[in-house]
Amino acid sequence: MKFKHLLLSVPLASMTLVSCKQQTVGTGIDLANLDQTVSAGNDFYQFATGGWRATHPIPAEYSRYGSFEVLYENNNKQLRELIETVASEKHAVGSLEQKIGDLYNMVMDSVKLNKEGFEPIRADLEMIEAISARGDVFPMMVNLMKKGVRGYFSFYIGADIKDSKQNLLEFNQGGLSLGEKGYYIETDSATMAIRDGFNLYMTDLFKMCGYPEDVAADKAKAVLEIETRIAQSSRSATELRDPESNYHKMSVEDLKKDFSGIDWDTLFNGIGLTAAKEVSIGQPEAIHEVENILAEVSVEEQKAYMQWTLINLASSYLSDEFRARNFEFYGRILSGKQQDRPRWKRSVATVEGVLGEGVGRIYVEKYFPAEAKERMINLVKHLQDALAERIQEQDWMSEETKKVALDKLSAFYVKIGYPDKWRDYSGLTITDDSFWANLVRSNEFDLKHMVETKLNKPVDREEWFMTPQTVNAYYNPTTNEICFPAGILQPPFFNMEADDACNFGAIGVVIGHEMTHGFDDKGRQFDKNGNLTDWWAPGDSERFDERAKVMKEFFDNINVLPDLKANGSLTLGENLADHGGLKVAYCALQNAMKENPLETKDGFTPEQRFFLAYANLWASNIREEEMRRLTKVDPHSLGRWRVNGALPHVDAWYDAFGVTEQDSMFIPKEQRVTIW
Ligand SMILES: [Zn+2]
């Protein structure tokens, strides 16, 4: 299981130290983004972002459109320019530029893609169809896994959470086309409509691969039955948040004994894992159910499932007809998008997916100024000091725990902009056979890279889990690192023209958010070395849990739609991180203002501008389908609730806007979360 905690629809806003500049510094607040016809205390989200939301309708290709997506669009244009320049020139075969250019052009070549239809996967489909013996099913699945087609379960090599300097091979639940188990078992009408849509989607794709209607329908039925069985024994996104219960380390000998229904020798031989000595089975129930399926379900039905995993994965990369049918289900039905992204954006995304750090290297040379890194280092330091101060001030935490917490805080490994060493793509061949064939080679290349650099090897702390051009940020507990890629460190989020109030309210809260993940309900279970271990003094954990429970219950009671509640357990870690981010960044602003006092400007005090800048990060419009989808799968709360759910727990917000019990967002002091 991967443990990164992303910021998701991230934001970053401005900079500190701007105040020493001689030129005029603005507030960074655009009054047109506000809707001052409502009162701040009744609906702060509308007050702070109503103007923005009224003037930024959701484009047809989006299911959600906000500040984050605006920045993503800008980044995409920059990347397009870089990649198209490379693609228009001739380069030596085997060079990074040749690979970037050829791959981009290949995705743009609709004539070739449409001529090929499903030809690029036909041989594999026929090979699966030819199977008649049960003993040939699993070897075929291993064959597909090597190509990146992962049915039944998933695997990964990453830091051992109880021996974090060392990597460990992990097997986890997987094999679900819809990702989250709820889609297979919930019986509300919206979910049932999605299941019907999924069934039709499968039937259509089988038909498009040449199967007659009745055969296609039978195959779809078989797939849904197998995936439903896996789903029933899988854990929910909330259950997956508990690291201890998703860790079961054992020797390979014990693995073969305890999970004897899976032919591990074939798997290890096929994938190059024969040197593995230990593994962790994340979710034993789901893997046991796969053993049952392999033994009980008919060969014909399992063939349908294997064919499906291949067709479904490939469908985005075949002809326009396949791509359109894939979009109709995953884009329109599941997320509410009205139309697919233009081809050039899909090309950029493909090059990003296959050669991400290669593109990143060119990107940072052009778009990431060295001084931005300097300034971020400084800002992170401000936030680190403020969090230390907040930890010291907590009366529910013992001196003993505080000491270890401060130790963990000062041990944070900070990554800013781009990695010091870059991935080498020289072993990857990009050539003009088919788009799908190139993706398969890329998957094989990535798998080989993971096995060669990680199996039985120590953890490389210099590895980046995001490319530099990514518009996001993360905290990773096993390396105790926070990472802010170059992609997010630019206007409108990284704005040197704005003053400290705006900067601390935006990028400051983002930094504080990532830092707080080191101390949220999950992150607090890891020590400064990244090991899952209980370092909290007796009583402190209980006091933390009591406080966290207030947050969980508050969000459990939020209606995101008239018939849909938020999930306080799934979003607890992120809500705590938003809470901590706000408290810590506010404290950092107060500290900064002791040296550089700020005045009321544009009609708002510095404290008010801090909260306006924060809310502005989450300005967004979203479709109902996407609200339902995210509520099922996303550990982050929806934008509206990252504002209207977070601020009622921050005392300083009440003071800044004079919010009283007359206002509808008011909650009594004793009902507020009091952690940081
Ligand atoms: Zn987060």
Side-chain angles (χ1 to χ4, degrees):
M1 176 177 339
K2 298 177 192 175
F3 273 112
K4 292 159 282 174
H5 294 274
L6 321 180
L7 186 66
L8 185 76
S9 301
V10 177
L12 275 224
S14 342
M15 254 311 309
T16 177
L17 298 186
V18 178
S19 5
C20 52
K21 281 197 156 191
Q22 292 300 313
Q23 72 208 61
T24 324
V25 172
T27 61
I29 306 287
D30 183 350
L31 294 177
N33 288 347
L34 279 60
D35 172 6
Q36 299 194 55
T37 65
V38 299
S39 97
N42 278 336
D43 183 351
F44 194 75
Y45 190 60
Q46 180 62 22
F47 176 78
T49 72
W52 190 96
R53 288 167 52 239
T55 50
H56 292 78
I58 311 177
E61 68 189 83
Y62 280 95
S63 52
R64 170 172 68 183
Y65 196 69
S67 309
F68 169 86
E69 283 76 20
V70 171
L71 182 50
Y72 171 79
E73 281 285 307
N74 290 344
N75 262 25
N76 231 349
K77 283 184 195 123
Q78 295 172 336
L79 290 166
R80 178 190 197 177
E81 202 185 303
L82 289 179
I83 293 172
E84 285 190 346
T85 303
V86 169
S88 67
E89 299 159 350
K90 269 263 164 245
H91 300 282
V93 174
S95 64
L96 177 64
E97 287 79 6
Q98 174 260 316
K99 292 170 192 179
I100 291 173
D102 283 3
L103 190 59
Y104 184 81
N105 289 332
M106 209 175 302
V107 190
M108 294 303 286
D109 187 355
S110 59
V111 175
K112 183 172 187 299
L113 284 165
N114 287 332
K115 209 173 91 195
E116 289 170 348
F118 73 101
E119 206 51 44
I121 60 168
R122 183 196 288 271
D124 279 337
L125 286 176
E126 287 174 354
M127 215 149 49
I128 299 170
E129 197 58 58
I131 290 176
S132 57
R134 184 171 295 274
D136 293 334
V137 169
F138 193 68
M140 175 57 72
M141 187 50 95
V142 172
N143 192 12
L144 292 171
M145 282 176 175
K146 264 199 300 198
K147 300 181 180 192
V149 183
R150 306 262 173 104
Y152 289 128
F153 52 76
S154 68
F155 59 91
Y156 177 73
I157 306 173
D160 181 343
I161 58 173
K162 293 194 179 179
D163 181 13
S164 66
K165 299 272 182 286
Q166 197 63 31
N167 282 304
L168 178 65
L169 172 60
E170 301 170 25
F171 291 93
N172 289 299
Q173 67 182 42
L176 301 181
S177 309
L178 297 171
E180 167 66 25
K181 73 180 288 184
Y183 282 118
Y184 297 86
I185 54 177
E186 286 164 18
T187 52
D188 60 282
S189 59
T191 305
M192 296 210 325
I194 285 170
R195 271 206 297 277
D196 289 345
F198 178 51
N199 216 356
L200 273 180
Y201 165 58
M202 286 194 287
T203 309
D204 282 352
L205 280 197
F206 276 118
K207 274 161 56 185
M208 286 158 64
C209 288
Y211 291 99
E213 173 109 39
D214 55 333
V215 178
D218 284 349
K219 282 183 183 285
K221 183 167 170 279
V223 175
L224 188 59
E225 277 171 15
I226 289 177
E227 293 199 6
T228 303
R229 278 184 72 163
I230 297 175
Q232 279 163 341
S233 52
S234 290
R235 297 184 183 176
S236 68
T238 300
E239 290 167 322
L240 292 175
R241 290 194 66 244
D242 176 11
E244 181 70 49
S245 69
N246 288 283
Y247 178 86
H248 307 88
K249 188 155 105 171
M250 62 190 79
S251 67
V252 168
E253 290 76 55
D254 285 344
L255 172 77
K256 289 177 183 172
K257 252 186 285 162
D258 296 350
F259 296 84
S260 61
I262 288 170
D263 180 358
W264 297 102
D265 286 330
T266 295
L267 179 67
F268 283 22
N269 276 320
I271 301 208
L273 300 170
T274 46
K277 298 181 192 83
E278 291 179 311
V279 302
S280 172
I281 295 286
Q283 302 77 32
E285 318 80 30
I287 307 293
H288 280 314
E289 185 60 13
V290 169
E291 296 182 283
N292 298 336
I293 290 167
L294 285 167
E296 296 162 8
V297 174
S298 76
V299 173
E300 278 310 307
E301 287 168 313
Q302 294 197 66
K303 279 158 59 175
Y305 175 65
M306 288 194 285
Q307 287 174 326
W308 172 248
T309 57
L310 172 63
I311 298 169
N312 189 30
L313 182 66
S315 58
S316 287
Y317 315 110
L318 300 173
S319 65
D320 287 352
E321 196 196 356
F322 277 90
R323 171 77 194 195
R325 192 62 188 87
N326 175 290
F327 173 81
E328 178 62 27
F329 179 67
Y330 284 106
R332 192 187 298 269
I333 295 183
L334 215 51
S335 305
K337 291 176 189 169
Q338 307 291 302
Q339 81 185 31
D340 201 356
R341 286 182 290 175
R343 194 176 290 276
W344 73 264
K345 285 187 185 171
R346 283 146 52 191
S347 298
V348 167
T350 300
V351 176
E352 288 264 277
V354 173
L355 298 156
E357 278 199 13
V359 178
R361 195 172 180 167
I362 305 173
Y363 171 84
V364 295
E365 271 168 25
K366 182 152 183 190
Y367 292 111
F368 190 60
E371 61 266 27
K373 191 161 184 164
E374 284 295 302
R375 293 191 170 117
M376 265 302 281
I377 290 170
N378 214 306
L379 191 53
V380 168
K381 182 78 182 63
H382 272 77
L383 271 291
Q384 225 161 351
D385 290 346
L387 180 51
E389 214 177 302
R390 296 304 311 157
I391 289 172
Q392 295 280 20
E393 277 173 29
Q394 300 310 311
D395 56 9
W396 57 270
M397 200 188 241
S398 68
E399 289 308 312
E400 206 181 333
T401 303
K402 280 181 190 174
K403 196 169 160 292
V404 192
L406 291 170
D407 214 22
K408 178 172 179 177
L409 174 62
S410 61
F412 271 166
Y413 192 47
V414 183
K415 293 179 178 175
I416 294 167
Y418 53 90
D420 290 333
K421 57 174 187 189
W422 297 95
R423 174 104 189 258
D424 175 12
Y425 291 99
S426 55
L428 175 63
T429 303
I430 299 293
T431 186
D432 192 21
D433 38 7
S434 75
F435 180 17
W436 174 247
N438 279 286
L439 291 182
V440 166
R441 274 195 299 275
S442 166
N443 288 338
E444 288 167 342
F445 175 73
D446 287 343
L447 177 58
K448 189 162 171 270
H449 176 75
M450 179 174 78
V451 172
E452 280 176 2
T453 58
K454 293 186 174 174
L455 186 65
N456 299 331
K457 299 254 165 65
V459 169
D460 176 7
R461 215 184 179 194
E462 300 307 315
E463 180 185 11
W464 278 54
F465 296 105
M466 277 178 186
T467 62
Q469 61 274 31
T470 307
V471 187
N472 213 329
Y474 71 83
Y475 170 75
N476 182 37
T478 56
T479 47
N480 197 28
E481 74 179 67
I482 47 177
C483 179
F484 306 94
I488 198 165
L489 304 178
Q490 59 172 323
F493 295 107
F494 193 72
N495 181 3
M496 302 204 298
E497 308 298 312
D499 68 18
D500 281 353
C502 175
N503 290 320
F504 280 96
I507 191 173
V509 177
V510 170
I511 296 170
H513 171 108
E514 299 305 341
M515 287 181 171
T516 305
H517 272 312
F519 304 95
D520 72 16
D521 62 318
K522 182 159 137 188
R524 72 173 194 85
Q525 302 177 50
F526 292 80
D527 68 12
K528 69 168 180 176
N529 296 315
N531 286 310
L532 182 65
T533 175
D534 188 4
W535 50 270
W536 290 55
D540 286 347
S541 291
E542 289 73 12
R543 281 186 288 275
F544 178 92
D545 289 343
E546 259 168 45
R547 284 163 168 72
K549 196 166 156 239
V550 177
M551 185 71 90
K552 179 195 123 44
E553 287 173 354
F554 184 81
F555 275 81
D556 275 340
N557 281 311
I558 287 173
N559 270 84
V560 298
L561 286 168
D563 65 336
L564 184 66
K565 291 258 196 249
N567 184 341
S569 301
L570 177 60
T571 56
L572 181 58
E574 294 299 335
N575 294 334
L576 290 174
D578 281 343
H579 179 71
L582 278 162
K583 297 283 278 277
V584 172
Y586 186 84
C587 171
L589 172 65
Q590 296 301 314
N591 291 343
M593 290 204 319
K594 282 175 199 154
E595 292 192 5
N596 296 300
L598 295 171
E599 291 165 2
T600 295
K601 270 188 194 168
D602 295 342
F604 293 104
T605 66
E607 286 78 8
Q608 290 174 329
R609 299 202 299 274
F610 170 91
F611 290 109
L612 289 172
Y614 171 72
N616 197 46
L617 300 180
W618 305 111
S620 62
N621 287 304
I622 182 167
R623 300 187 198 278
E624 183 184 322
E625 292 90 336
E626 186 69 348
M627 291 171 80
R628 292 187 188 279
R629 189 182 75 82
L630 292 176
T631 301
K632 262 197 179 69
V633 305
D634 193 350
H636 303 85
S637 294
L638 299 173
R640 169 181 295 275
W641 301 106
R642 293 187 84 158
V643 176
N644 281 4
L647 295 180
H649 296 283
V650 178
D651 295 347
W653 171 74
Y654 290 83
D655 299 339
F657 288 92
V659 178
T660 68
E661 56 275 9
Q662 310 306 320
D663 297 300
S664 48
M665 279 177 67
F666 177 91
I667 54 176
K669 213 168 159 105
E670 64 277 9
Q671 290 174 25
R672 296 176 201 163
V673 175
T674 48
I675 296 190
W676 305 116

